[in-house]
Amino acid sequence: MESAVLNLALNARDAMPGGGRLTIELGNKVLDEAYARHHAEVTPGDYAMVAVSDTGHGMTSDVVARVFEPFFTTKPDGKGTGLGLAMVFGFVKQSGGHVKIYSEPGEGTSVKLYLPRAIGAAAVACQRTGSPVELPRGSATVLVVEDEAAVREIACAILADLGYRVLEAADGEEALRVFGANTAAIDLLLTDVVLPGKVRGRELAERVQALRPQVRVVFMSGYTENSIVHHGRLDDGVQLIGKPFKREQLARKVAQVLGTTTVPAAEAGNVVALRLKRDV
């Protein structure tokens, strides 16, 4: 674990040659069956998450697809072996875990390591009991904006099953067109923070609310909430749900923002934020 976090921190440092912010977080997460259906290597269950996020130059999707390959590196000759992330991948896989990378050019990178939670006496005492929790339902119209098709499909399916009318778009420009055709009907905008194209999530929300101020907004992001706020992509206090999310989390967040239910604040994870100077 120490070597894995160190490798991720070194990569973050190299991605921020002019300085930046490195955020390391710990948290308990659940990867549910809906997520596992789209990630064949994942076993649904409880995981301990370690997330390492930076404000560096980020990566394109084709680079992200290869970062765990042995000897693959984007660093100049003599600056990297290409084995650091391969080691991280191997460590997580042999531990029965899962790795997820969220990165966009110019937006930084967040690497999440999910390791199966140990089941001991304390965990057994806290196991869920009783009947399933009944989730809040609604009939409002929700516009879901997400460029990753699998995530968009899951979000739309959950909301539709809960009674909401769902519209969808793959990027900001398409979302504006959908909103223009359904302006009076849309009650809530559920959008990814980092979208491809010219219109990012924050700008989309601002333009939608400028035309119809009563529209509520919930942001989604694969980056952790602390890295999103600390890195200045969103203001503190905005409504944000992290990916991957459970059915219950999405149901309660949407109901909360629409004002149809109250949701107790989630317990915060452990966060360490470091601002790096150029000479670090």
Side-chain angles (χ1 to χ4, degrees):
M1 173 62 77
E2 180 180 357
S3 296
V5 173
L6 178 59
N7 270 290
L8 293 176
L10 290 173
N11 283 344
R13 178 201 61 185
D14 293 343
M16 301 183 288
R21 185 180 287 266
L22 170 67
T23 305
I24 300 174
E25 299 175 65
L26 304 173
N28 292 319
K29 301 293 180 180
V30 175
L31 299 181
D32 60 15
E33 293 182 359
Y35 184 80
R37 280 197 295 269
H38 292 86
H39 300 81
E41 76 281 10
V42 173
T43 300
D46 294 332
Y47 289 80
M49 181 200 73
V50 180
V52 180
S53 306
D54 64 62
T55 56
H57 48 60
M59 296 177 283
T60 59
S61 57
D62 59 321
V63 172
V64 171
R66 299 189 61 193
V67 291
F68 293 123
E69 294 179 11
F71 306 109
F72 175 78
T73 180
T74 59
K75 298 176 183 178
D77 290 343
K79 296 295 185 180
T81 63
L83 292 175
L85 287 179
M87 183 281 297
V88 172
F89 183 83
F91 160 68
V92 174
K93 290 302 177 184
Q94 76 178 18
S95 302
H98 173 58
V99 186
K100 186 69 175 179
I101 294 184
Y102 297 91
S103 188
E104 295 281 348
E107 298 291 338
T109 299
S110 185
V111 182
K112 296 181 177 180
L113 312 182
Y114 295 92
L115 301 172
R117 289 187 62 188
I119 303 300
V124 171
C126 297
Q127 285 181 348
R128 302 177 185 88
T129 58
S131 58
V133 176
E134 185 173 348
L135 299 179
R137 302 176 62 84
S139 58
T141 299
V142 181
L143 172 57
V144 178
V145 189
E146 166 62 57
D147 59 300
E148 190 173 343
V151 177
R152 189 172 67 250
E153 178 185 341
I154 290 172
C156 290
I158 291 172
L159 293 171
D161 189 54
L162 291 170
Y164 295 98
R165 179 188 177 219
V166 182
L167 303 173
E168 61 180 285
D171 56 45
E173 290 90 340
E174 183 182 359
L176 288 173
R177 291 194 294 272
V178 174
F179 179 76
N182 301 272
T183 303
I186 293 174
D187 302 295
L188 183 140
L189 172 67
L190 176 64
T191 179
D192 193 12
V193 175
V194 181
L195 292 169
K198 297 179 180 179
V199 181
R200 298 299 179 99
R202 184 172 184 169
E203 181 185 351
L204 172 62
E206 290 172 349
R207 291 173 66 171
V208 164
Q209 290 186 317
L211 294 172
R212 192 160 184 261
Q214 59 266 50
V215 174
R216 300 291 185 264
V217 177
V218 176
F219 291 99
M220 301 182 282
S221 182
Y223 298 93
T224 64
E225 181 171 358
N226 286 292
S227 68
I228 281 282
V229 174
H230 290 327
H231 298 174
R233 297 187 187 95
L234 291 175
D235 296 328
D236 194 5
V238 298
Q239 298 293 339
L240 179 70
I241 184 169
K243 297 184 289 186
F245 45 76
K246 295 186 296 180
R247 172 186 174 89
E248 179 179 348
Q249 289 174 307
L250 182 60
R252 294 191 180 282
K253 175 62 74 173
V254 168
Q256 175 196 14
V257 174
L258 287 171
T260 55
T261 188
T262 57
V263 181
E267 293 185 5
N270 297 310
V271 183
V272 178
L274 306 175
R275 184 173 295 280
L276 303 184
K277 298 179 180 178
R278 181 173 172 76
D279 60 351
V280 172

